[in-house]
Amino acid sequence: MSTANKISNALISVFYKDGLAPIAKELHQQGVKIYSTGGTQEFIEKMGIPVIPVEQLTGYPSILGGRVKTLHPKVFGGILARREEAQDLAEIKEFDIPLFDLVMVDLYPFEETLAQTNEEQKIIEKIDIGGVSLIRAAAKNFKHSLIVSHTNQYSDLLEILVNNNGESRLSERKSFAAKAFQVTSHYDTAIFNWFNKGQNISALKVSYNQGNTLRYGENPHQRGFYFGQINDILEQLHGKELSYNNLLDVDAAVNLLNDFEETTVAIIKHNNPCGVASRDTVLQAWTDALAGDPVSAFGGIIALNRNVDLATATEMDKIFLEVLVAPSYDEDALALLKGKKNRIILKQTGKLPISQTMRSVLNGVLVQDRDLVVLKSSDLKSVTSHAATASQIEDLLFADKIVKHTKSNTIVLAKNKQLLGIGCGQTSRVDALKHAISKAHAFGFELKEVALSSDAFFPFPDCVEIAHKEGINAVIQPGGSIKDDASITYCEQNGVAMYFSGVRHFKH
């Protein structure tokens, strides 16, 4: 038995008419009977192509303001009939139902409507019922029906019509069916997530229509994919394709800079900041961010929250930088930076819209709210009689922004809104502090009157003791240890200003 199927009857009902004309013309030339309704029927008839109204087939008009048009046994019978089943064919003949070989249906623009309005009734009216049902029916019966469910499939349909004289193969119909179920599942996910706002139904529904195959994952022996619409927030101006690791680092950089309003430059390496500075000019911010760790900056990801001018680009161009992210670039600066053919240059065009994070663990997924807390001076609780200076308070808040975006355990040392040393990803807080101190010393920084931020509380006073002996005299930490008093007492006795934020910033 042949699996090829020649199109004789087509049901067409689409919201978007772009690209429909050449298909309708080709179907007509091949003698295909076209059934349609509403705006699609009117569109095709204006081309001079005859159309059989669905209302004529069903004997019922479109009712309820267009909510019910195609939901009828004479429509769905012609789509779902199993042509190898004698009983199905007998019923088709008895009730005079045409067999539909092609179903072309797209869906009401639900997500587009969400982006345009918050008006509930307008949103509800864009929840497609008949369209989803038609798509699922034709996809289910792919052995006999070809389902075209999106305008991006029109070129493939035209190829079948023109090159194969309207005869589709089973493998083609099954491929179209898979795409159809992808369309409807994505559509239902968007609807569920809208309805579930405030309902707190414990279910995770995530769907991305666009996916890119990356060169590889974290390592060359691992496959890697990116699902999402990165073009909504970043425009690539130059360079090679973003890799899996590039995307992780760019995400870290963009999230970090999102917390800074002042002119700031951040240098990211393996998801952690190795240089950060806030200054009056971009050039000075770059110079001081780089000074924080010029060794680690090699091959790093550079993020700026201001326009890149030629002077700054000239200095940045002196070292190997893999990725640059900024909101804009002067033309001469961009031309200079493009001198390295593989250097990835990105223009940030939008904010990160995601309010939750997800990670696969064991046989499931962890979901949590993104850490969006940015402390203000009024959030700090002094727990010692010693007060930090106004500039130290600014440095404590500066350091706390960085510590929030750094792998735990972490300690950040900062002065004059410049990252001087960082200890991250350590198995003990003491090790994190010692690493931060070592880093600062390695690049010639004095630690007298430096501000220290810790992502979590101090379980013992050892960290503040080590910090004090280095000249550090201002500390911010969440507090909450059963031995907070031990650290507070040491600071009180040794002239160290300590502040509790009440906010832990673990990052694993």
Side-chain angles (χ1 to χ4, degrees), residues 90-138:
E91 291 175 355
I92 289 293
K93 183 177 181 180
E94 178 183 357
F95 297 106
D96 193 23
I97 300 173
L99 292 171
F100 291 111
D101 313 292
L102 170 65
V103 176
M104 285 185 67
V105 178
D106 62 10
L107 301 174
Y108 291 162
F110 180 80
E111 288 181 287
E112 292 86 340
T113 304
L114 280 183
Q116 296 168 1
T117 182
N118 291 320
E119 190 175 331
E120 183 176 274
Q121 193 55 42
K122 287 185 177 179
I123 294 170
I124 288 174
E125 288 305 320
K126 287 298 183 287
I127 297 176
D128 207 315
I129 304 301
V132 172
S133 301
L134 290 167
I135 290 173
R136 289 176 60 87

Side-chain angles (χ1 to χ4, degrees), residues 164 293 415 426:
N164 298 339
D293 188 346
K415 188 173 184 178
Q426 301 300 307

Side-chain angles (χ1 to χ4, degrees), residues 148-160:
V148 177
S149 54
H150 196 278
T151 55
N152 61 18
Q153 300 163 20
Y154 284 8
S155 60
D156 293 332
L157 173 61
L158 263 177
E159 186 175 335
I160 291 172

